């Protein structure tokens, strides 16, 4: 979340940023509450000062009547201080609830507006392939090649779940190995993270753990939810910790299952593997010094581009408009792959610089040797490989006229073949 002092001192900028992002947040109310908080804080401090002074006078008083009068005054001051503290806590809680709803500031170069304002920055190395036959979508291909069972997934867990079969299983494992080997060479520490996180971690990262708009599956009777991305667990690793400046940047690559309710999703986006309730993802995450985060975002984007150039998937890079940014994101790039079966571009990765927004909520700080105090770290996240959509993009872009699908060359060592053919 944003610093309370920053919100008060830059209220007009914060309100304009909320408008640019399409977010409702009562910034004026926050400013009013802060003024009341300062007054109530001063009142509470003064009452405590007076109560401490009276306590010392009681110890020095020799006359019994004077001592009793001082005791009565001490009780009155303590009761008044307790009442002031109760009101102060209520003000702080109301401020916190507003503060949590205020999104991060936006990068000055981020396009302003809704999705129609998204800016195409560049295209990948692989051009969009011209087909000399009508391309099938990934569901049709998967049925012909016996790679996917959506009906069994629905019987077991409901719509949006699925079974991967045969070479699709090998492709999933190959994509994981491909991503982690690339990231390990780049200095990332490899992690397999928990699939669950506490509500305080979910909320700290920026997800709503409860409520009608949540994307999180909650575990009844606990304060746990299934994670929607390893960003949650990787970001939560150092909650309430103080890191050393010389440790930064710290880079992690996390493999996890991802669970999303996909509340509100409908239509073609829910067909097949494009928008599902469970998938596997390799996620990049970084903790950096404030001056490192802008360049780290560019590095994450370049790594995503390198991974999909290596796979031979046509894509474009999108500088995401303010109205499409999640609350924590200061700036976000998406990679959108060309999906011939859908006849359109579809998001396959995203990477965001969240500056100190998540770190402030999670209490993650760093200290610099020889300097007093601590500062909040900056956090960044980025999708290396989201398996389900990458499988979709491979099947549709590598399909052949004879019904087979060619395996991307970089994945063949793990898949063990260069082509998927119909089962005989």
């Amino acid at each position: 979340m944003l610093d309370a002092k920053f919100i008060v001192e830059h209220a007009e900028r914060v309100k304009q940023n909320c408008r640019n992002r399409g977010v409702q947040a009562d910034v004026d109310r926050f400013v009013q509450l802060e003024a009341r908080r300062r007054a109530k804080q001063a009142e509470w401090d003064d009452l405590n000062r007076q109560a401490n002074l009276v306590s010392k006078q009681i110890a020095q008083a020799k006359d019994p009547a004077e001592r009793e009068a001082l005791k009565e005054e001490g009780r009155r001051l303590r009761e008044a201080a307790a009442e002031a503290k109760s009101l102060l806590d209520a003000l702080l809680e109301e401020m916190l609830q507003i503060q949590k709803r205020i999104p991060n500031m936006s990068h000055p170069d981020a396009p302003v507006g809704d999705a129609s304002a998204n800016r195409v920055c560049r295209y990948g190395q692989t051009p969009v392939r011209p087909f000399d036959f009508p391309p099938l979508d990934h569901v049709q291909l998967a049925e012909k090649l016996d790679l996917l069972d959506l009906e069994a997934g629905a019987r077991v867990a409901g719509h949006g779940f699925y079974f991967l079969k045969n070479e699709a299983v090998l492709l999933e494992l190959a994509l994981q190995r491909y991503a982690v080997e690339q990231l390990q060479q780049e200095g990332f520490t490899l992690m397999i993270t928990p699939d669950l996180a506490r509500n305080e971690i979910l909320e700290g990262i920026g997800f709503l753990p409860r409520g009608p708009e949540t994307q999180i599956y909650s575990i009844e009777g606990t304060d746990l939810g299934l994670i929607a991305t390893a960003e949650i667990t990787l970001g939560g690793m150092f909650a309430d910790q103080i890191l050393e400046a010389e440790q930064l940047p710290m880079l992690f690559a996390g493999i996890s299952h991802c669970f999303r309710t996909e509340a509100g999703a409908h239509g073609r986006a829910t067909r097949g593997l494009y928008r599902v309730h469970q998938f596997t993802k390799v996620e990049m995450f970084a903790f950096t010094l404030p001056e490192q985060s802008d360049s780290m975002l560019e590095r994450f984007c370049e790594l995503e581009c390198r991974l999909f150039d290596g796979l031979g998937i046509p894509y474009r890079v999108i500088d995401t408009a303010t109205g499409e940014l999640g609350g924590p994101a200061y700036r976000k790039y998406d990679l959108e792959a060309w999906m011939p079966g859908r006849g359109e571009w579809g998001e396959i990765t995203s990477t965001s610089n969240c500056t100190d927004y998540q770190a402030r909520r999670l209490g993650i700080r760093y200290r610099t040797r020889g300097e007093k105090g601590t500062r909040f770290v900056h956090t960044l996240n980025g999708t290396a490989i989201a398996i389900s959509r990458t499988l979709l993009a491979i099947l549709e872009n590598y399909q052949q006229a004879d019904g087979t699908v060619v395996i991307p060359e970089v994945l063949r060592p793990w898949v063990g073949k260069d082509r998927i053919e119909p089962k005989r």
Side-chain angles (χ1 to χ4, degrees):
M1 56 193 169
L2 294 181
D3 177 51
K5 183 179 178 183
F6 179 90
I7 296 170
V8 172
E9 293 180 353
H10 302 89
E12 290 306 316
R13 282 180 59 196
V14 172
K15 287 194 287 185
Q16 183 60 53
N17 183 61
C18 288
R19 288 192 288 270
N20 291 346
R21 296 174 74 133
V23 173
Q24 298 273 338
D26 197 343
V27 178
D28 289 333
R29 174 68 176 167
F30 185 89
V31 173
Q32 294 167 3
L33 289 169
E34 171 59 12
R36 290 171 56 188
R37 182 205 65 79
R38 286 197 300 268
K40 189 59 66 176
Q41 180 78 50
E43 178 187 342
W44 183 56
D45 290 342
D46 186 57
L47 287 167
N48 281 322
R49 181 189 61 78
Q50 291 182 56
N52 290 334
L53 181 61
V54 168
S55 180
K56 291 178 182 178
Q57 291 173 342
I58 292 172
Q60 296 169 356
K62 295 180 180 179
D63 180 63
E66 180 186 4
R67 187 180 297 113
E68 285 302 315
L70 287 169
K71 285 182 179 179
E72 181 60 31
E73 176 66 4
R75 280 192 292 270
R76 185 190 69 79
L77 288 169
R78 284 195 297 273
E79 288 173 0
E83 183 179 355
K85 182 62 165 62
S86 177
L87 293 171
L88 178 61
D89 288 344
L91 288 169
L92 287 168
E93 178 59 29
E94 186 177 352
M95 289 177 66
L96 180 61
Q97 294 311 311
I98 297 173
Q99 195 176 3
K100 286 179 177 179
R101 289 195 291 272
I102 297 173
N104 201 353
M105 298 301 289
S106 305
H107 191 284
D109 293 338
V112 176
D114 59 16
S116 64
N118 286 343
R119 180 189 303 128
V120 178
C121 301
R122 61 186 183 278
Y123 290 84
Q125 294 177 358
T126 304
V128 172
R129 172 187 167 194
F131 284 87
D132 55 7
F133 62 91
L136 303 178
D137 75 6
H138 71 287
V139 176
Q140 295 167 311
L141 289 163
E143 288 174 351
K144 291 178 179 295
L145 299 172
D146 198 23
L147 301 176
L148 181 66
D149 195 333
L150 294 167
E151 291 183 3
R155 281 194 298 272
V156 169
H159 177 75
F161 293 92
Y162 54 92
F163 285 84
L164 292 182
K165 300 172 64 178
N166 300 314
E167 290 91 348
V169 175
L170 300 177
L171 277 170
E172 162 145 348
L173 297 173
L175 285 166
Q176 290 184 48
R177 287 297 302 272
Y178 169 64
V180 298
E181 289 192 11
Q182 294 278 323
L183 296 178
Q184 189 174 35
Q185 292 171 14
E186 290 290 324
F188 285 73
T189 299
L190 304 184
M191 312 282 284
I192 293 178
T193 86
D195 287 339
L196 293 162
R198 291 193 178 96
N199 288 341
E200 64 192 64
I201 301 297
L202 292 160
E203 190 171 336
I205 289 294
F207 284 83
L208 293 172
R210 296 289 192 274
E213 296 181 1
T214 184
Q215 291 293 326
I216 299 297
Y217 285 104
S218 298
I219 308 301
E220 187 175 1
T222 76
D223 68 341
L224 296 170
L226 291 169
I227 64 170
T229 166
E231 173 193 350
I232 294 166
T233 39
L234 294 173
M237 283 194 302
F238 295 114
D240 299 318
Q241 302 296 302
I242 298 176
L243 307 176
E244 303 298 333
E246 54 265 32
Q247 293 177 278
L248 303 172
M250 299 173 69
L251 305 176
F252 297 93
I255 303 173
S256 76
H257 297 114
C258 304
F259 303 88
R260 301 185 183 184
T261 64
E262 295 296 355
H266 61 277
R268 186 168 58 171
T270 62
R271 176 169 166 80
L273 296 176
Y274 188 78
R275 196 178 296 281
V276 290
H277 294 309
Q278 178 184 337
F279 59 96
T280 305
K281 182 154 66 86
V282 181
E283 179 80 358
M284 300 181 289
F285 199 92
F287 300 91
T288 76
L289 297 172
E291 61 268 23
Q292 296 170 334
S293 64
D294 281 339
S295 60
M296 186 62 72
L297 179 68
E298 301 300 324
R299 182 182 177 189
F300 271 23
C301 185
E302 288 302 320
L303 285 170
E304 292 176 345
C305 291
R306 192 187 310 169
L307 287 165
F308 281 87
D309 284 333
L311 289 170
I313 301 294
Y315 66 84
R316 63 184 186 180
V317 180
I318 301 295
D319 191 354
T320 306
T322 55
E324 294 294 295
L325 295 175
Y330 172 64
R331 195 177 197 182
K332 180 164 81 84
Y333 295 124
D334 287 345
L335 262 62
E336 294 182 342
W338 178 249
M339 299 178 175
R342 293 163 55 88
E344 61 186 16
W345 301 93
E347 180 192 328
I348 46 169
T349 78
S350 67
T351 182
S352 300
N353 179 4
C354 298
T355 62
D356 62 359
Y357 191 90
Q358 294 173 326
R360 190 179 301 278
R361 295 161 74 106
L362 291 167
I364 308 173
R365 298 172 175 267
Y366 73 94
R367 60 185 161 218
T368 302
R369 189 175 300 173
E371 296 183 7
K372 290 184 178 180
T374 60
R375 297 176 64 191
F376 289 106
V377 302
H378 279 201
T379 60
L380 301 96
N381 63 83
T383 309
I385 297 285
I387 303 293
S388 55
R389 291 193 184 180
T390 306
L391 280 174
L392 182 164
I394 289 172
L395 292 175
E396 293 190 1
N397 282 284
Y398 278 93
Q399 63 181 295
Q400 306 299 309
D402 63 0
T404 64
V405 171
V406 172
I407 303 292
E409 188 173 352
V410 292
L411 301 181
R412 292 174 191 173
W414 297 294
V415 177
K417 57 175 66 178
D418 59 8
R419 186 179 298 261
I420 304 173
E421 299 177 340
K423 305 296 178 289
R424 299 188 183 280

